[in-house]
Amino acid sequence: MTTTGEERRTAVERAGPEAGSGDGRWPRWRAVALDVSLAVASSAECAVEGVWFSRDAGLPAGVGVTFGLLAGSVLGFRRRWPAAVVLVGLAVTPALMGFLLVVVGLYTVASSDLPRRLIGALTGMSLVGVLVVALVRMGPEVEGWFRWFAAVSTALGHTAPPVLLGLYVGARRRLMESLRERADSLERELQLLAERAEERAEWARNEERRRIAREMHDVVAHRVSLMVVHAAALQAVALKDPEKAARNAALVGDMGRQALTELREMLGVLRSTPAAGAAPVSASAQVSVSAAGGPAGSPRVPEQRVAAEGAGGPEGVDGPARLAALGELIGQSRAAGVVVEFLEEGESPGYPPAVERTAFRVVQEALTNVHKHAAGARTRVRVAHRVGEVAMQVENEPPGGAAGAALPSGGNGLVGMRERVTSLGGAFVAGPTERGGFRVSAVIPAPSAAGSASSAG
């Protein structure tokens, strides 16, 4: 995982005053105070040691003190040039000065982000330099193996502790940076997931609204349309044929009661209290989300959508909205004065509830449109049971004679039919015919109810 320089500097600032060596910027004021203090201490140490060096070299004391002050002050730049600090410390080591300079410089180098080869090279140079100086400066009374033991111990004690501590601190800082980056990445991912979940919930709510709108339209529009047609006929024959007027009035009453019953059942579904802690989205909509892939537009699974669409919806007093009820539906249209020819090819193998409901609603809405826009037109209803699908077609001829009752149209019928059919993976076509009529055709993939039950199990 890569990070920008600004992100790295921010992480270094949080890691502590010793972090971030080599980036040339002090993380905060405490680090500045620490570096200044170390530079002052190193300068004082080198100045004192410079007095002894000037005596051994036969130079004026001021020269040694000035040299020590300049060499020790280099430690203040350990974050900007850590390798240079170590090299200056090694350069003044033969003069027996710069102990703090070398130790702190090695720690800073080891804890920095410099290449490991450079850190190893500087460590080796320091180890060899201190070893040589120790051997040269050691008195003649120390001989044999003890001489080498003392020199090696001095070199290791001078070099190993700051390097090991620096490596530990650097590794710990990098680990903390990695953990912070992971935490930030997880936080961003959780935020994206939350936004995604909100989008899916909103999509599910909209899908549920559309489904409820389709149900309300299909439940109310057909029966109300027939009621208006019969009411118009009742008005026309009220004085001429009282018996026919009475029959029409009875039909209007029956259809009104059926519409009220279905509407009451629909409202009962909407008013049902969800389980405690449940989201305000129906189970069918949630199944639709997982099946349809949500707002991302992934491929839909018709079988799962079949289960979702078939889970709810009202049923009228005349039985559920199934293909077996088409005869009664067509009989109601015939009673309203529409000449309907019904043809059914093949036998129904028993479809899932969603397929039955969708096929019934397509025929019902098509007949409703005939009552609205082509009153009295001759109509043909065809249903074909095929292998793995069911097809239906409702075609009416051009309207003839006097215009029927004026029925308002919201333009939602065809939209609702198309949404129902396509949600199950089917095809829907509607449009005028060459002879001036109108045709509604739909084909729905229809696995048998037994096959769906076995696959679900």
Side-chain angles (χ1 to χ4, degrees):
M1 183 180 297
T2 60
T3 58
T4 63
E6 188 64 29
E7 292 174 346
R8 180 180 173 278
R9 285 193 293 274
T10 303
V12 168
E13 291 176 5
R14 292 182 299 202
E18 292 300 321
S21 302
D23 62 1
R25 291 173 175 82
W26 284 300
R28 46 195 175 199
W29 65 269
R30 286 183 294 178
V32 176
L34 176 63
D35 287 354
V36 172
S37 300
L38 289 175
V40 171
S42 179
S43 298
E45 176 207 350
C46 292
V48 173
E49 293 170 346
V51 175
W52 300 336
F53 170 70
S54 61
R55 292 176 182 176
D56 295 341
L59 298 173
V63 175
V65 172
T66 303
F67 179 72
L69 290 174
L70 292 175
S73 63
V74 175
L75 191 57
F77 302 96
R78 67 187 185 99
R79 298 180 190 271
R80 183 180 293 272
W81 301 301
V85 172
V86 175
L87 292 177
V88 171
L90 294 177
V92 300
T93 298
L96 297 181
M97 65 173 62
F99 172 78
L100 188 61
L101 190 65
V102 174
V103 170
V104 177
L106 286 175
Y107 164 78
T108 305
V109 166
S111 64
S112 68
D113 293 330
L114 293 175
R116 288 288 179 262
R117 288 180 294 181
L118 180 57
I119 296 175
L122 292 174
T123 302
M125 292 171 60
S126 175
L127 186 65
V128 172
V130 175
L131 178 63
V132 171
V133 171
L135 289 174
V136 171
R137 290 288 184 172
M138 204 170 294
E141 65 276 4
V142 182
E143 297 180 352
W145 64 270
F146 186 75
R147 182 185 184 90
W148 283 97
F149 174 77
V152 171
S153 299
T154 302
L156 289 176
H158 196 273
T159 304
V163 172
L164 294 177
L165 180 61
L167 291 175
Y168 166 75
V169 171
R172 180 179 177 277
R173 186 190 71 248
R174 286 186 287 271
L175 176 61
M176 296 300 295
E177 292 178 5
S178 175
L179 292 177
R180 288 190 185 95
E181 291 172 0
R182 278 190 180 182
D184 294 341
S185 176
L186 288 176
E187 185 177 358
R188 289 192 296 268
E189 290 179 3
L190 288 176
Q191 185 177 0
L192 291 176
L193 288 176
E195 294 175 356
R196 176 67 172 169
E198 181 62 27
E199 292 177 359
R200 291 172 68 89
E202 182 64 25
W203 183 87
R205 286 191 291 268
N206 294 334
E207 186 70 13
E208 185 70 355
R209 292 191 193 100
R210 288 191 292 267
R211 193 182 72 86
I212 293 172
R214 289 196 301 267
E215 291 290 344
M216 295 288 288
H217 180 274
D218 293 340
V219 165
V220 177
H222 178 73
R223 300 198 183 279
V224 172
S225 299
L226 291 179
M227 289 170 60
V228 174
V229 172
H230 283 290
L234 175 62
Q235 184 180 9
V237 301
L239 299 178
K240 299 179 181 179
D241 192 348
E243 294 183 1
K244 186 174 181 181
R247 290 195 300 270
N248 287 342
L251 286 174
V252 171
D254 291 340
M255 292 176 185
R257 283 187 291 271
Q258 291 174 0
L260 287 175
T261 301
E262 293 184 358
L263 184 60
R264 188 180 299 112
E265 292 179 358
M266 172 65 69
L267 295 178
V269 172
L270 297 179
R271 289 175 179 173
S272 59
T273 304
V281 180
S282 71
S284 62
Q286 293 174 355
V287 175
S288 299
V289 172
S290 60
S298 56
R300 298 180 176 181
V301 182
E303 291 77 4
Q304 294 176 333
R305 287 302 300 265
V306 163
E309 292 288 343
E315 295 179 357
V317 294
D318 56 339
R322 301 178 64 89
L323 289 175
L326 284 179
E328 184 173 353
L329 176 69
I330 293 173
Q332 293 175 355
S333 296
R334 288 171 177 168
V338 179
V339 179
V340 183
E341 176 185 349
F342 179 50
L343 176 63
E344 187 173 9
E345 300 176 3
E347 295 183 0
S348 172
Y351 302 117
V355 175
E356 294 269 355
R357 178 180 299 278
T358 300
F360 180 88
R361 293 303 188 196
V362 168
V363 176
Q364 182 187 56
E365 180 59 29
L367 291 176
T368 301
N369 288 339
V370 172
H371 292 298
K372 288 182 179 181
H373 309 293
R378 188 179 186 87
T379 305
R380 286 180 293 276
V381 178
R382 302 175 183 175
V383 177
H385 304 282
R386 303 169 183 168
V387 178
E389 66 180 18
V390 57
M392 63 225 64
Q393 182 182 90
V394 179
E395 180 180 351
N396 63 272
E397 297 179 355
L407 296 175
S409 176
N412 296 318
L414 294 178
V415 175
M417 285 191 285
R418 187 182 304 276
E419 289 178 351
R420 282 182 177 276
V421 173
T422 56
S423 68
L424 299 181
F428 178 84
V429 178
T433 62
E434 296 179 356
R435 294 183 297 175
F438 200 84
R439 181 187 298 120
V440 173
S441 302
V443 179
I444 305 174
S448 63
S452 299
S454 62
S455 62

